[in-house]
Amino acid sequence: MHAIASSPQPDHWRFYRAVWRWHFYAGLFVLPFIAWLALTGAVYLYQKPIDRWVHHDLKVVAASQAAPSLASAQVAAVQATSGGEAFRYTTPERADGSVEIAVLGKQGQREVYYVDPASARVLGHLPEKGTFSGVVRQLHSLDLLGGWASALIEIAAGWAILLVLTGVYLWWPRGRNGGVTSVRGSPGQRLFWRDLHAVTGVWVGVVLLFLALTGMPWSVVWGTQVNAWANGHDYGYPAGVRVAVPMSDQRLADTTTPGWTMEHAQLPASSVPPGQPPSADSHAGHEGHGGALGDLSPRTGAIGIDAALQRFNALGMAAGYAVALPRGPMGVYTASVYPERLARQRVVHLDQYSGRVLLDMGYADYGVLGRGLEWGINVHLGQQYGTFNRVFLLIACVAILLLCASGAVMWWKRRPVAGLGVPPLPRQRRTVAIVFALLCVGGVLFPLVGLSLLAVGIVDFALSGGWRRY
């Protein structure tokens, strides 16, 4: 309360009080989410080394000078062990890495088997997304809570943006020296925690704003709508690169985890040789969701996984690429890779019978919006700039946790005997209405955030007697 007590007359600070009120609400709602996202995000930054350590017996094999076994032999060994059908084959990213073969089980479950490429020996298996980093990513995105979790993330990200913008307004010096770049007082005083919160927030706020905005593409409403709009207007996955290619109803996301721009990309169709008419599953639409992937059995006349891998290697696919196997007589071999450097991101589709390249697309082929959002996502994941990117975001995550902790301590030290301790209203209720209207403008851009903002505004209006200060 020290900063308020020493402030000029309330008339000059009426907007400060109104903004402070909404900053309080934003912190109340999202600080637990922000702390959780910072903690899980910090762990996920180092997903690969952590997975190699946690799952060493599955992920790492002894280096061998001998020629690796055939991919078809590895797939056969996995199918014999699992009793299921392989639908994805992932090449090792490192020389001592194992091959990963995703299998659809008889009960519809998806599992990943790890194979020594030199001997075709099956090392073991995990559920799909069942690695340590896979679980951390699900915790980070709240996927374990169900389908509505992405809506919750969208709302939290929007309120985080509100938190940062209102926080910067509150931090603005206005002739003050303390609490701008320096921290006053001692840990026993609320002033210390107020200054620590302000100084930390203004520096890490830029990063938090970036992370919130670049996390939006995964959201259920905003992300889905922007993706559809971008791809529908050639700003994401341009139709111009595929107009001459017959397309199926199958989607890339059914068998692998593509980049944001390619989430709704359809697969091209193979040209079925004479004597092999398409079957009912050739245009199976979205049957890949929920387990079923259609007919995964090898087709007569198909080039096979060994020849497909040779073709992909000849095309210069980056190490660690995944190959989705054809589904049905019109299915294709699809190789996709999303390495740390965006320039090497690539998706290639082969006709399963002739081996002809049907579509070869990389980052440079995306539309301007697709490239911009993919860059933001890659930086968000700590990938684009290697070690510097990860270390910078790790420091930012620690600072965000400090920001959350200092905000909680600051509130605790000023909490009332009863109630939440909502900051007081300014004398002019019109001021609150103006600030609320400005915030609602942002709510138009992010609909779910706007609805939640409107709900809080109505409750606050009702409980405060029409934003009257008594």
Side-chain angles (χ1 to χ4, degrees):
M1 294 298 291
H2 297 269
I4 299 301
S6 60
S7 300
Q9 294 300 312
D11 283 348
H12 296 288
W13 286 74
R14 61 187 187 276
F15 283 105
Y16 185 99
R17 287 181 178 274
V19 171
W20 182 23
R21 192 175 181 89
W22 280 101
H23 184 75
F24 174 84
Y25 284 139
L28 183 68
F29 297 143
V30 303
L31 279 186
F33 287 103
I34 291 175
W36 177 255
L37 293 173
L39 182 61
T40 54
V43 176
Y44 193 73
L45 287 171
Y46 293 90
Q47 52 165 315
K48 290 182 179 178
I50 290 176
D51 270 354
R52 278 177 62 87
W53 177 68
V54 174
H55 308 290
H56 190 274
D57 55 333
L58 299 178
K59 290 272 189 178
V60 182
V61 298
S64 174
Q65 299 299 320
S69 58
L70 293 175
S72 56
Q74 298 163 14
V75 170
V78 166
Q79 293 186 153
T81 300
S82 66
E85 289 285 344
F87 66 88
R88 187 176 65 242
Y89 180 100
T90 303
T91 62
E93 189 173 353
R94 298 171 53 155
D96 62 349
S98 59
V99 166
E100 300 179 14
I101 299 175
V103 171
L104 183 67
K106 293 180 179 179
Q107 305 301 318
Q109 75 278 15
R110 296 189 182 196
E111 297 178 309
V112 176
Y113 282 75
Y114 298 84
V115 181
D116 186 331
S119 63
R121 181 172 63 90
V122 177
L123 304 174
H125 67 93
L126 292 170
E128 189 178 39
K129 300 180 182 179
T131 60
F132 179 83
S133 66
V135 173
V136 170
R137 181 159 187 168
Q138 291 181 79
L139 291 172
H140 182 72
S141 61
L142 303 182
D143 281 348
L144 295 179
L145 297 180
W148 57 274
S150 57
L152 194 60
I153 287 290
E154 182 171 346
I155 294 172
W159 279 88
I161 295 171
L162 172 64
L163 187 72
V164 172
L165 296 180
T166 54
V168 170
Y169 180 88
L170 297 177
W171 165 86
W172 200 258
R174 298 181 186 85
R176 292 180 290 115
N177 294 320
V180 178
T181 58
S182 61
V183 179
R184 300 165 292 180
S186 63
Q189 299 175 293
R190 179 180 176 274
L191 178 64
F192 172 86
W193 293 99
R194 181 265 170 209
D195 284 2
L196 180 63
H197 184 77
V199 173
T200 303
V202 76
W203 293 113
V204 79
V206 176
V207 181
L208 181 56
L209 186 63
F210 173 81
L211 293 175
L213 288 171
T214 53
M216 277 291 187
W218 287 295
S219 62
V220 64
V221 175
W222 189 89
T224 301
Q225 295 303 316
V226 170
N227 190 295
W229 179 83
N231 289 328
H233 293 78
D234 286 0
Y235 298 133
Y237 178 34
V241 303
R242 59 179 190 267
V243 290
V245 181
M247 305 300 290
S248 72
D249 292 330
Q250 296 175 354
R251 292 197 312 151
L252 182 62
D254 291 343
T255 52
T256 190
T257 304
W260 177 86
T261 304
M262 302 285 282
E263 276 187 350
H264 300 287
Q266 292 175 285
L267 303 184
S270 292
S271 299
V272 181
Q276 189 169 166
S279 61
D281 66 346
S282 301
H283 297 282
H286 297 274
E287 67 182 354
H289 299 289
L293 290 170
D295 184 6
L296 292 165
S297 58
R299 316 306 298 188
T300 302
I303 61 173
I305 182 65
D306 297 328
L309 286 175
Q310 289 180 356
R311 187 81 172 101
F312 289 130
N313 289 333
L315 290 170
M317 294 292 293
Y321 68 87
V323 179
L325 306 184
R327 289 175 284 144
M330 296 181 69
V332 294
Y333 287 101
T334 298
S336 57
V337 65
Y338 301 93
E340 291 197 347
R341 296 301 175 91
L342 282 170
R344 305 201 70 188
Q345 191 176 110
R346 194 174 177 190
V347 176
V348 180
H349 304 289
L350 298 183
D351 187 297
Q352 68 168 303
Y353 304 104
S354 66
R356 179 171 62 92
V357 176
L358 300 176
L359 195 61
D360 185 346
M361 187 171 185
Y363 175 72
D365 299 307
Y366 298 161
V368 60
L369 182 59
R371 289 197 300 273
L373 287 172
E374 289 289 354
W375 176 86
I377 290 170
N378 229 37
V379 176
H380 182 113
L381 294 172
Q383 297 179 169
Q384 182 64 14
Y385 302 109
T387 300
F388 171 80
N389 200 162
R390 285 185 285 274
V391 172
F392 179 83
L393 288 183
L394 180 62
I395 294 172
C397 286
V398 173
I400 289 171
L401 288 171
L402 177 61
L403 183 70
C404 296
S406 59
V409 173
M410 183 172 59
W411 169 81
W412 182 260
K413 286 184 173 293
R414 66 170 288 273
R415 75 193 189 284
V417 176
L420 288 175
V422 180
L425 287 162
R427 289 177 179 174
Q428 302 88 344
R429 62 176 178 172
R430 186 183 66 173
T431 302
V432 186
I434 292 172
V435 172
F436 178 62
L438 290 173
L439 296 177
C440 286
V441 172
V444 174
L445 299 176
F446 305 105
L448 282 183
V449 181
L451 289 174
S452 65
L453 186 66
L454 186 61
V456 174
I458 292 172
V459 172
D460 187 51
F461 182 84
L463 295 180
S464 63
W467 287 327
R468 293 179 183 275
R469 184 180 178 188
Y470 298 102

